[in-house]
Amino acid sequence: MAVTPTSIVTPQRPWSATAVATTANSTYTDSPTNTVLLARQDLLPPNPFTVTNGSAVVTVSHPDHGLFTGTQTTYSGAAAVGGITVTGAYTVTVLTTDTYTVTHGSNASSNATGGGTAVLGQLARTAVNGVRITRLTALARATNTATELQLYVSNDGGTTKRLIRSVLMAAYTVAQTTGQTATDFGYSDSSPLILNASETLYVAIGVTNTGIVFRAEGFGY
């Protein structure tokens, strides 16, 4: 992004997200079906969860998380710690820039720190102050007929999703002797998609496929 004498320069961090859509959506109201969250996913440090015997509160180590109290985060890949497994969606309460707490559905049975080395946290919130998306593309991972690619935005955690963009992915026969050209939504550094702090993205496809892979890249604030 060009900087001019009147620019306000805000520190940025690289932001990226991937999602795979497989089932068709044909509903264009504020409640479409079969949408997939396109949001940042972080690999947490080894053994990020600390629990206390008799308590459902879990302290999470997540460096530079950029979250705020009330944000929803979805975990996957965690091993059990203190008799509980932190998986699925939780609402966070921020402690520091590197830690926060979530509340599990049952109490831990011992004091412990753990969770393993493969814990992923998918953030429903884009970034502290928002995101500039400068590239959004899609590839088919199996032979596909022509299909609409749909982009939705939500500012209430996914309850309401508004259709904001649609592009056509051409039919393609997957083969080891040809290269597939990514379908581009048309965003760029000079013409980005701007998301504010409360907005999240969802994607969908018009025709069921083994998998259409979406990729978004940009910068968070």
Side-chain angles (χ1 to χ4, degrees):
M1 179 174 60
V3 177
T4 70
T6 57
S7 295
I8 299 176
V9 179
T10 302
Q12 302 177 48
R13 59 179 292 177
W15 182 96
S16 62
T18 57
V20 179
T22 59
T23 307
N25 167 64
S26 59
T27 303
Y28 297 95
T29 66
D30 289 347
S31 301
T33 59
N34 302 316
T35 57
V36 182
L37 177 66
L38 183 61
R40 182 181 122 209
Q41 191 172 60
D42 290 346
L43 176 64
L44 273 59
N47 300 313
F49 303 129
T50 298
V51 298
T52 302
N53 184 31
S55 173
V57 176
V58 181
T59 300
V60 183
S61 174
H62 188 165
D64 195 23
H65 53 72
L67 303 178
F68 76 112
T69 296
T71 301
Q72 188 176 76
T73 301
T74 301
Y75 301 104
S76 61
V81 53
I84 62 175
T85 301
V86 182
T87 186
Y90 297 81
T91 299
V92 312
T93 299
V94 171
L95 300 177
T96 71
T97 57
D98 297 326
T99 60
Y100 51 82
T101 63
V102 299
T103 301
H104 191 63
S106 59
N107 294 339
S109 57
S110 65
N111 297 332
T113 295
T117 60
V119 181
L120 293 173
Q122 187 170 39
L123 313 181
R125 180 179 167 87
T126 53
V128 174
N129 296 310
V131 167
R132 293 176 64 250
I133 294 177
T134 57
R135 183 169 172 79
L136 177 54
T137 58
L139 283 172
R141 63 184 186 189
T143 295
N144 68 285
T145 58
T147 182
E148 181 188 30
L149 307 179
Q150 305 157 16
L151 184 64
Y152 295 83
V153 67
S154 175
N155 63 5
D156 57 10
T159 301
T160 303
K161 302 170 188 173
R162 298 276 167 80
L163 179 67
I164 62 168
R165 196 169 183 86
S166 169
V167 299
L168 181 67
M169 171 178 277
Y172 174 72
T173 301
V174 172
Q176 298 302 311
T177 55
T178 61
Q180 183 180 168
T181 300
T183 301
D184 198 317
F185 278 75
Y187 300 114
S188 66
D189 191 63
S190 60
S191 182
L193 171 63
I194 303 297
L195 299 180
N196 69 35
S198 66
E199 291 180 321
T200 50
L201 285 179
Y202 292 80
V203 293
I205 56 178
V207 179
T208 294
N209 185 273
T210 301
I212 304 297
V213 182
F214 293 81
R215 170 74 174 180
E217 299 173 356
F219 297 91
Y221 298 95

